[in-house]
Amino acid sequence: MADTAIPMTAADATLRMRVQAIAGAAPDVLAIELRACDGQPLPAFTAGAHINVRTGSGIVRSYSLLNSQDERDRYVIGVYRDPDSRGGSRWLHEQLAAGDVLEVDPPRNDFALCESAGHSVLIAGGIGVTPILSMVRRLQAIGRSWQVAYAVRSRSRAAFLEPLRELAAAEAGRLQLHVDEEEGGRFLDLASLVARAPPGTHFYSCGPGPMLEAYKRATASLPPQQVHLEYFGAGVAPAAGGFVVVLAKSGRKVPVSAGTSILAALGAAGVYVPRVCEQGVCGTCETKVLAGVPDHRDLFLTTAEQAAGKTMLICCSGSLTDELVLDL
Ligand code: FES
């Protein structure tokens, strides 16, 4: 950790949680219910929050909570079996059983709802439906106006569709299911979805990278405070053209080529920085930034910490400037 690390407090303490139930939610998706081993009420969370789970393979992965924020006795997550899994989701799918105990970090929320919005449009792609489901539960509970567009490749892969349908049942048009293969392979038309929304609408999207890039284009002209998004897995920042990292303690310069993480470039140059998840989740590689502007892609820093730009997660984040000076 960088020397800006905040001392652990009771609220930060790792939770020991027992797997209460595991159920299939779609062919490649498990719904996993976790409860505190000590039976105490869990730390509160707000809709859109995620937890970091340490899997038995030692890999830390981040999963959004899909249950109601009013529940203090359980966290429920949806785990997609990533075909490129390096052991995180694969371990959870193949090894985890009811009764097992997992270590979990308390919830954090980088994808919070604006509860005062007159109308909210929530757009989910694939397993990105999990935070959206929790957000819809909340909007419904507080009586706000909302609609959801849920895009999946095939109908059988639409995890958690039934609870969404139940929430949407009271009002026609609240839920749009877009099945790519039933639409001739066409993707959800985000531009018209945004154009049809009333002024002042807040938009939320969680899904795969290409969907979020389309979402950013569709919402580019809106005030930024009305546009919210979350990647469902951090990725290496596109460092178009490359950039240079300067190691302040030695003055050494390490080039980072396009598509390579800073962590990997440093490793290739013989500079070792501790890491655990390599996905911007655990915070182990947090590094102090002395000059330059990071391109944050992690799920660990808060929005305010990212905006301050004083530290960055070098396993996944890149640079918006030609040079980054790091406290290494
Ligand atoms: Fe986990 Fe970078 S190694 S956040």
Side-chain angles (χ1 to χ4, degrees), residues 275-285 313 315:
R275 80 287 304 268
V276 172
C277 72
E278 297 188 46
Q279 288 207 329
V281 169
C282 70
T284 308
C285 69
L313 283 306
C315 65

Side-chain angles (χ1 to χ4, degrees), residues 71-152:
E71 296 177 350
R72 295 292 303 278
D73 58 342
R74 64 177 192 155
Y75 296 151
V76 185
I77 57 175
V79 178
Y80 168 65
R81 184 185 172 117
D82 183 349
D84 300 321
S85 171
R86 290 182 294 140
S89 66
R90 191 177 67 224
W91 186 89
L92 290 168
H93 271 255
E94 293 180 357
Q95 306 291 329
L96 193 69
D100 286 353
V101 173
L102 292 172
E103 288 188 351
V104 173
D105 289 340
R108 295 171 61 103
N109 197 342
D110 303 319
F111 191 40
L113 274 173
C114 172
E115 296 191 346
S116 59
H119 184 63
S120 299
V121 173
L122 305 102
I123 302 162
I127 194 61
V129 71
T130 51
I132 299 296
L133 179 52
S134 183
M135 295 162 112
V136 167
R137 292 188 204 279
R138 177 62 180 168
L139 290 169
Q140 185 78 345
I142 60 175
R144 309 306 299 192
S145 171
W146 57 269
Q147 68 185 91
V148 166
Y150 180 16
V152 290

Side-chain angles (χ1 to χ4, degrees), residues 10-18 34-45 65 67-75 104-107:
D12 295 325
T14 300
L15 306 165
R16 283 175 54 78
M17 303 198 71
R18 190 172 306 284
L34 303 168
R35 291 183 182 252
C37 288
D38 62 7
Q40 294 298 307
L42 292 167
F45 71 95
L65 299 175
N67 54 315
S68 163
Q69 68 178 60
D70 296 331
E71 296 177 350
R72 295 292 303 278
D73 58 342
R74 64 177 192 155
Y75 296 151
V104 173
D105 289 340

Side-chain angles (χ1 to χ4, degrees), residues 110-255:
D110 303 319
F111 191 40
L113 274 173
C114 172
E115 296 191 346
S116 59
H119 184 63
S120 299
V121 173
L122 305 102
I123 302 162
I127 194 61
V129 71
T130 51
I132 299 296
L133 179 52
S134 183
M135 295 162 112
V136 167
R137 292 188 204 279
R138 177 62 180 168
L139 290 169
Q140 185 78 345
I142 60 175
R144 309 306 299 192
S145 171
W146 57 269
Q147 68 185 91
V148 166
Y150 180 16
V152 290
R153 271 182 284 162
S154 65
R155 196 167 283 267
S156 67
R157 300 171 80 104
F160 307 111
L161 182 57
E162 274 318 304
L164 269 181
R165 278 201 172 120
E166 284 167 21
L167 286 159
E171 196 176 308
R174 274 191 155 174
L175 174 62
Q176 176 190 0
L177 177 68
H178 179 97
V179 182
D180 293 349
E181 69 176 17
E182 295 174 12
E183 300 288 339
R186 271 192 307 281
F187 295 138
L188 181 64
D189 184 353
L190 295 176
S192 71
L193 198 61
V194 171
R196 288 199 309 269
T201 294
H202 276 244
F203 294 89
Y204 302 82
S205 187
C206 183
M211 170 186 256
L212 292 184
E213 292 310 312
Y215 171 72
K216 284 195 237 176
R217 287 194 296 277
T219 55
S221 63
L222 296 175
Q225 64 273 19
Q226 288 174 226
V227 180
H228 316 263
L229 67 86
E230 184 162 83
Y231 290 86
F232 61 48
V236 174
F243 57 93
V244 172
V245 165
V246 180
L247 309 184
K249 289 176 182 160
S250 63
R252 198 169 156 200
K253 296 190 172 188
V254 178

